[in-house]
Amino acid sequence: MTSYPAPIKPTHTRIGWIGTGIMGGAIASRLLSAGYSVTVYARNPSKVVCLKSQGAHLADSPADVARNTDVIFTMLGHPSDVRQIVLEGLLSSVNPNSVIIDHTSSHPVLAKQIFEAAREKNCWTVDAPVSGADIGAREGKLAIFAGGNEDVVKWLKPLFDVLGKATFVGGPGKGQSCKIANQIVAGGSLLGLSEGLVFVEKAGLDNRKFVEAVKGVKGGAAGSMIMELFGERMIERDFRPGGFTEYIVKDLGMGFDVGAEEGDNIVPLPGAALSKQLFSAMVANGDGKLGIQGLITVIERIRQVRS
C-alpha cells in the first residue's frame, strides 16, 4: 500500500479507476502499460474487456475500488455524476491518506465541496480536468490542470507524467476553472477554423493546401493545436468523438454560472456565448455524440454549403 506521502511506485501503489469512456479507457490503459496495478469499476462491464486483457482487476462497486486502492481516478460525464460517485459514494469508503483525482470537467464549486469533505475523512482530492482529446489520451500528451494542495499534486507527478504534463494552477476548484477557460478558447478556435474551411471551399481553394500554408514551417498566426488536432478530421468529414459535443456545451455553460454561484459578478463572455449557441445547435440537430470538430456542419448549414 502506498498512501500520501510515501513515494509512488508501480510495485506498491494501487490505482483505482472509475469512468471508462473514450478518454478514461485510454488513460487507464496507459497506467496499466506503465506497470501499475489498476482496479476498474464500470457500470457496463463490456466496456472494460480491453482493460481486463491488459491485466486490470474488475471491482463490483465504487466502494470496492475505494477500499482496495491508494489513488483513485475518476473521469465521468457530468457534475451530477461526480456528486453521486465521489461526494456521496467514494468518500464514505476511502482509506486514510488516499487521494482521489477527478479528471471530469466539472464545476469549481463542487470541487471545493469535495475537497473539504475529503479532508474531514483524512484523505485528499485533486480536481484535474484534462485537454488534448483522444489522441492526447492515447499518446500520453494531455494537458492536466491540477487544483488542490500543491504538495499532493507534486507527489502525484509520477502518475501524471504517464498521462501528459500536469500544471498546478491553484487551490481546490482552480483546475476546473482552468478547464472552463480552456474550453472558452477551444470553442472560439474551433469556430474560427470551421468558418475558415467553409470560406476556403466557397472561394475555390484546396482546403488541405490552406491548412498546410497556415501551419507552415514555423507556423502562421492562425496555426494552432486545434488545427493540428481537428483540421484533417474536418476535411475528411471524420466526426468520431474524442470528446462529445454535448460535453463542451456543458463546460461553456459552467462558465456563465460560476460567478453567480460564488456570489460574484458574472464575467461577460460574448464569444463563449456564441460558441455555446452553435455547439447547442449541433446537439439540437441530433449530433451531440459527435466530436466537437463537427461544429463545421453547423456553419455549413448556416451558409448552405451542404444540405
Side-chain angles (χ1 to χ4, degrees):
M1 176 176 176
T2 303
S3 59
Y4 178 77
I8 290 175
K9 296 180 180 179
T11 53
H12 295 87
T13 307
R14 304 171 302 172
I15 305 298
W17 193 278
I18 300 175
T20 53
I22 295 168
M23 296 283 287
I27 300 172
S29 176
R30 287 196 61 82
L31 291 169
L32 285 162
S33 297
Y36 286 94
S37 172
V38 180
T39 299
V40 178
Y41 169 74
R43 284 176 288 191
N44 183 356
S46 65
K47 281 190 171 185
V48 297
V49 171
C50 182
L51 295 177
K52 284 184 68 178
S53 71
Q54 289 184 260
H57 308 286
L58 188 59
D60 295 328
S61 65
D64 189 24
V65 173
R67 286 190 292 266
N68 293 287
T69 56
D70 311 309
V71 179
I72 306 165
F73 291 82
T74 57
M75 195 162 204
L76 308 169
H78 296 274
S80 58
D81 300 318
V82 176
R83 179 176 294 279
Q84 178 185 3
I85 295 294
V86 181
L87 188 60
E88 300 171 358
L90 286 176
L91 287 177
S92 64
S93 303
V94 289
N95 298 308
N97 287 320
S98 59
V99 179
I100 299 173
I101 303 167
D102 185 25
H103 281 320
T104 314
S105 295
S106 187
H107 203 290
V109 172
L110 178 58
K112 292 178 184 177
Q113 293 172 350
I114 291 172
F115 182 89
E116 292 167 0
R119 294 309 299 135
E120 293 178 1
K121 296 286 187 177
N122 196 29
C123 62
W124 300 90
T125 61
V126 174
D127 53 291
V130 302
S131 180
D134 55 330
I135 296 173
R138 290 194 300 270
E139 296 182 356
K141 296 180 179 179
L142 293 172
I144 305 167
F145 315 122
N149 178 280
E150 186 171 9
D151 289 335
V152 174
V153 172
K154 289 178 179 177
W155 178 74
L156 292 166
K157 188 177 186 299
L159 295 173
F160 286 146
D161 284 350
V162 175
L163 314 182
K165 177 177 172 52
T167 301
F168 175 72
V169 295
K174 298 305 183 186
Q176 298 298 349
S177 294
C178 191
K179 177 58 184 287
I180 291 170
N182 178 86
Q183 298 299 75
I184 291 169
V185 175
S189 299
L190 279 161
L191 174 55
L193 179 57
S194 297
E195 290 188 335
L197 287 172
V198 170
F199 175 82
V200 160
E201 185 168 334
K202 290 291 286 185
L205 296 170
D206 184 295
N207 45 26
R208 282 191 174 83
K209 288 184 177 178
F210 158 70
V211 170
E212 180 183 348
V214 170
K215 287 161 60 175
V217 176
K218 294 184 178 180
S224 66
M225 183 56 70
I226 288 292
M227 183 176 283
E228 290 281 351
L229 288 171
F230 299 115
E232 182 65 21
R233 294 190 191 190
M234 287 179 170
I235 293 169
E236 287 291 328
R237 318 297 293 172
D238 179 1
F239 302 136
R240 289 175 295 177
F244 294 136
T245 292
E246 63 185 22
Y247 288 167
I248 198 170
V249 173
K250 168 204 68 177
D251 296 345
L252 292 170
M254 288 189 293
F256 298 104
D257 63 24
V258 165
E261 290 202 13
E262 293 186 340
D264 300 322
N265 292 326
I266 297 175
V267 178
L269 302 169
L274 177 58
S275 296
K276 181 175 181 289
Q277 181 181 2
L278 294 171
F279 282 115
S280 295
M282 272 190 71
V283 176
N285 290 333
D287 295 335
K289 297 293 185 183
L290 295 184
I292 54 180
Q293 68 272 24
L295 182 64
I296 192 171
T297 63
V298 176
I299 305 304
E300 290 169 343
R301 284 186 170 98
I302 293 172
R303 299 194 177 185
Q304 298 180 341
V305 173
R306 285 186 171 85
S307 59

